[in-house]
Amino acid sequence: MERIDISKLCRVQRGFTLLELMIAVAVVAILASIAYPSYQSHLISSRRASAQSHLMDISQREQQYFLDARSYASDLVTLGMTTPSDVSSYYTIAITVSSAPPTFTATATPITGTSQASDGALSINSTGAKTSSNNSW
């Protein structure tokens, strides 16, 4: 009679096979390829909203400054404001002032080379009119 090796009969599989691992990697890669563009789009719109909010704050401060000084301020320092880092990292803020009649336009221009570069410039003027170069306001 032949002897049966019990250790061979009770062999327990440990770990994953290469095929199982490759399937898991493929599933993760597919999910990442779908999620990453959506995440980037969300970041761009979030940064745009931050810039719009900052422009609205500038407009409000300009109106208050106009009531006090009868002219508009030509820079943020005069208004006692600083640009938040989440806006200044992606946009350049500029204020242009005209004296007759007194008007201002605050503009947020995307910085070239950042992910916001394709977003287009945003602006608001003394009448409250909001404009953007790509209709994203």
Side-chain angles (χ1 to χ4, degrees):
M1 185 172 203
E2 209 176 302
R3 195 169 184 202
I4 299 174
D5 191 5
I6 295 178
S7 65
K8 288 183 181 177
L9 290 175
C10 297
R11 188 174 282 173
V12 177
Q13 183 180 9
R14 297 179 191 211
F16 299 103
T17 66
L18 182 60
L19 181 61
E20 291 170 335
L21 184 62
M22 292 306 294
I23 290 171
V25 168
V27 167
V28 168
I30 290 169
L31 291 175
S33 68
I34 293 170
Y36 188 71
S38 176
Y39 175 69
Q40 289 295 346
S41 174
H42 176 71
L43 285 179
I44 289 171
S45 64
S46 171
R47 292 179 190 132
R48 181 186 319 118
S50 293
Q52 290 169 338
S53 174
H54 184 57
L55 287 176
M56 295 293 290
D57 290 343
I58 291 171
S59 177
Q60 178 189 12
R61 291 272 183 103
E62 283 283 12
Q63 296 301 336
Q64 184 63 44
Y65 187 84
F66 183 74
L67 290 174
D68 297 339
R70 303 217 186 268
S71 65
Y72 289 111
S74 60
D75 58 20
L76 293 176
V77 174
T78 307
L79 293 173
M81 295 182 73
T82 58
T83 301
S85 61
D86 63 330
V87 175
S88 63
S89 300
Y90 298 97
Y91 289 92
T92 303
I93 304 296
I95 301 173
T96 55
V97 177
S98 171
S99 59
T103 60
F104 77 89
T105 301
T107 306
T109 306
I111 297 174
T112 305
T114 65
S115 57
Q116 295 299 118
S118 63
D119 195 32
L122 305 166
S123 63
I124 187 168
N125 64 21
S126 53
T127 64
K130 304 168 198 167
T131 58
S132 79
S133 58
N134 64 355
N135 297 324
S136 61
W137 190 291

